[in-house]
Amino acid sequence: MKTENIFIALTVVAWIMFVGFCIEAGVLAFNVVWSWFIENGLNIKSMGIELRELLSFSAWHHTVFGSLLTAVAVFKALLLYEGIKLTGKLSLKEPFSEWVTERLKRMADYAWQAAVASVCVEIYAEWLKKQTITLGISFDNDWSGFLLLAGILYVIASIFKRGIQLQQENELTV
Amino acid sequence: MPLIVNLDVMMAKRKMSLNELSDKVGITLSNLSILKTGKAKAIRFSTLEAICEVLDCQPGDILEYRNS
């Protein structure tokens, strides 16, 4: 399989995931805002999340927890958006450029922010469980994956920075 | 950079234009221009050898170390 085809396949998958996370973020944000006006809140069980019990426990906790879940989805969507831009414009003839390094750094930042937000969600969810609230969310250590991804992306960005220097040296060798 | 490229001086001495040197040495005009303006980061031995041959000079006539 040619590298270009792999990039196209990756772009398509990233677009699908990006749309998915955008919808998730939108629904979660709407759910938070909706709960300020309607007492029962939205039924979003289809997304694997049940926050109505939390809403009946405390509107304040519901807003904070919902906002954190939205933040995680937004960071995941932003991470994928940068990935889409990267795979769409990356040139294999001259891969080392400031633009690519900047995209990789941004992706690493978003992965790091998603990891931090995921940790907050998990700690918060644990605390809420102790208050005997059923959330209907299953966590499978999301944050550790994002933390690892952020680390790998930072390393790749650093390698690209050195690559730019080598490419410039090569271009300025007569 | 303390390394000075005196290519323009040698070209003036031999009364040779950049186009002519580019043709005779076999490197592009833009690369010669990079070398002449001192923007080059490195020079291949093969390029230096070709320039010295065409301009009938020594590498030291083209490159000079000036302690700044």
Side-chain angles (χ1 to χ4, degrees), chain A residues 168-174, chain B residues 31 40-44 47:
Chain A
Q168 279 173 349
E169 262 184 33
N170 190 40
E171 280 166 3
L172 290 173
T173 299
V174 291
Chain B
N31 270 348
K41 293 243 181 191
I43 180 165
R44 287 189 194 92
T47 309

Side-chain angles (χ1 to χ4, degrees), chain A residues 99-110:
Chain A
W99 188 85
V100 172
T101 311
E102 186 56 37
R103 293 282 87 70
L104 286 168
K105 270 187 185 168
R106 277 192 196 181
M107 282 175 79
D109 286 342
Y110 289 138

Side-chain angles (χ1 to χ4, degrees), chain A residues 161-174, chain B residues 1-5 30-45 63:
Chain A
K161 217 174 175 182
R162 178 74 186 126
I164 293 168
Q165 288 173 348
L166 290 172
Q167 192 172 275
Q168 279 173 349
E169 262 184 33
N170 190 40
E171 280 166 3
L172 290 173
T173 299
V174 291
Chain B
M1 204 160 67
L3 263 182
I4 312 290
V5 180
S30 60
N31 270 348
L32 258 187
S33 185
I34 287 170
L35 185 62
K36 205 180 108 189
T37 51
K39 285 179 189 163
K41 293 243 181 191
I43 180 165
R44 287 189 194 92
F45 277 166
L63 299 173

